[in-house]
Amino acid sequence: RKKHGFDLPTEKWLKEGLREIALQLFDSSPEIINKEFCKKILQNFNRNKRYYNRQFWACFSFILWYKMYFEVEKPKFNIDYYL
């Protein structure tokens, strides 16, 4: 059979606590992200789940990725000394 996509259970996850996590994440987002726009996407999610699902995951995953790779806590010792 042909390949076909699948939907994430985003609506269920948002009801089970992801909404609060996403709002905290959006509030602490880097300056390069328009946090108000991300929050608006989350508010409009129930209006059109299929449309806003992609936008929500784009904002959510980008901010997580950015925090993991660019806001990593620096070591407490001078790493250059050991190189």
Side-chain angles (χ1 to χ4, degrees), residues 27-28 54:
D27 279 338
S28 68
R54 287 180 180 225

Side-chain angles (χ1 to χ4, degrees), residues 23 26-27 35-44:
L23 286 172
F26 294 162
D27 279 338
K35 58 180 85 179
E36 295 307 316
F37 183 73
C38 291
K39 288 180 186 178
K40 189 76 146 176
I41 290 169
L42 192 54
Q43 290 171 353
N44 292 333

Side-chain angles (χ1 to χ4, degrees), residues 8-16 45-46 49 53:
L8 295 173
T10 310
E11 183 178 11
K12 180 181 180 224
W13 291 342
L14 287 170
K15 288 179 183 175
E16 293 176 351
F45 183 82
N46 288 330
K49 292 174 180 68
N53 189 35

